């Protein structure tokens, strides 16, 4: 997370509201929040974050492990993960365009066709690797939920990860 990157991702009103929420979690009035409360605070604001992601986030925003973060770190955390939700909505909308039966599933051939139309043709090996990661049931189809999960896990849904072309099946380290 870039220092104070939230300024470009949150509106002034959102910043005000999130600062008020931070003040609630600032139990000692020292302009600091306990990292133990970070997950609860983020979730209370509607931010979806996995425990594993939270632990990585805490390591990043509290590198000296003093157990607290300031309001700017808090706002950066909120901006990072609320941005992900917007990206997931965009993936859902794009997926719906190709999910002709509105079933939450698209076939391998439909997915390949979508990628080709977007100018990103996967090799047969890349497609097999991708399906192995995403198609947990081995049906040869892609489910929206599985696709969103894997794209998020590999950093594709994050704005701060550059697109390198093609699918890289190795996890992206973001923190």
């Amino acid at each position: 997370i870039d220092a104070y990157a939230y300024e470009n991702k949150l509106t002034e009103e959102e910043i005000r509201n999130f600062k008020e929420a931070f003040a609630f979690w600032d139990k000692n009035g020292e302009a600091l929040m306990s990292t133990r409360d970070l997950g609860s605070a983020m979730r209370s604001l509607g931010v979806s974050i996995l425990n594993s992601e939270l632990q990585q986030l805490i390591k990043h925003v509290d590198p000296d492990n003093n157990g607290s973060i300031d309001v700017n770190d808090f706002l950066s955390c909120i901006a990072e993960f609320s941005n992900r939700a917007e990206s997931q909505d965009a993936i859902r909308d794009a997926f719906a365009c190709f999910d002709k039966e509105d079933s939450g599933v698209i076939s391998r051939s439909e997915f390949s066709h979508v990628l080709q139309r977007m100018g990103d043709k996967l090799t047969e090996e890349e497609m097999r690797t991708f399906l192995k990661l995403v198609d947990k049931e081995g049906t040869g189809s892609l489910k929206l939920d599985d696709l969103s999960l894997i794209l998020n896990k590999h950093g594709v849904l994050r704005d701060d990860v550059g697109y390198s072309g093609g699918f890289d099946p190795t996890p992206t380290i973001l923190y």
Side-chain angles (χ1 to χ4, degrees):
I1 300 172
D2 295 332
Y4 314 129
Y6 67 85
E7 293 171 340
N8 297 325
K9 295 180 179 181
L10 300 174
T11 67
E12 289 296 321
E13 181 179 352
E14 287 173 323
I15 291 171
R16 271 193 311 279
N17 290 337
F18 293 144
K19 282 183 176 181
E20 286 177 21
F22 178 85
F24 172 79
W25 293 94
D26 174 17
K27 296 191 169 69
N28 299 328
E30 298 174 345
L32 295 172
M33 169 194 281
S34 169
T35 54
R36 288 187 320 271
D37 294 331
L38 181 60
S40 297
M42 291 177 71
R43 290 180 184 113
S44 75
L45 295 168
V47 175
S48 175
I49 184 168
L50 301 172
N51 285 334
S52 58
E53 293 172 319
L54 180 62
Q55 294 310 310
Q56 287 295 317
L57 186 60
I58 289 171
K59 286 179 187 175
H60 182 74
V61 296
D62 184 22
D64 57 356
N65 203 24
N66 69 9
S68 61
I69 60 170
D70 67 19
V71 70
N72 290 316
D73 289 331
F74 177 70
L75 291 171
S76 294
C77 294
I78 294 292
E80 178 72 15
F81 283 87
S82 62
N83 225 15
R84 179 179 67 182
E86 292 169 10
S87 296
Q88 288 172 326
D89 288 343
I91 292 291
R92 187 176 297 112
D93 292 345
F95 192 92
C97 292
F98 303 102
D99 181 11
K100 295 177 181 26
E101 288 88 38
D102 195 29
S103 62
V105 176
I106 59 174
S107 71
R108 176 180 191 244
S109 61
E110 286 174 312
F111 182 68
S112 181
H113 180 70
V114 168
L115 290 177
Q116 286 176 2
R117 289 184 63 190
M118 294 171 55
D120 192 13
K121 183 176 179 177
L122 295 182
T123 66
E124 192 59 36
E125 179 62 28
E126 288 172 324
M127 182 61 87
R128 272 195 302 274
T129 301
F130 185 80
L131 282 175
K132 193 183 292 184
L133 288 169
V134 178
D135 183 16
K136 303 289 185 203
E137 298 166 6
T139 62
S141 299
L142 294 144
K143 289 183 178 178
L144 173 61
D145 293 340
D146 293 338
L147 181 62
S148 291
L149 181 66
I150 202 71
L151 291 176
N152 181 53
K153 180 179 178 183
H154 290 279
V156 176
L157 294 181
R158 301 247 170 97
D159 288 343
D160 60 343
V161 178
Y163 179 72
S164 60
F167 171 70
D168 179 4
T170 57
T172 302
I173 306 300
L174 298 174
Y175 302 110

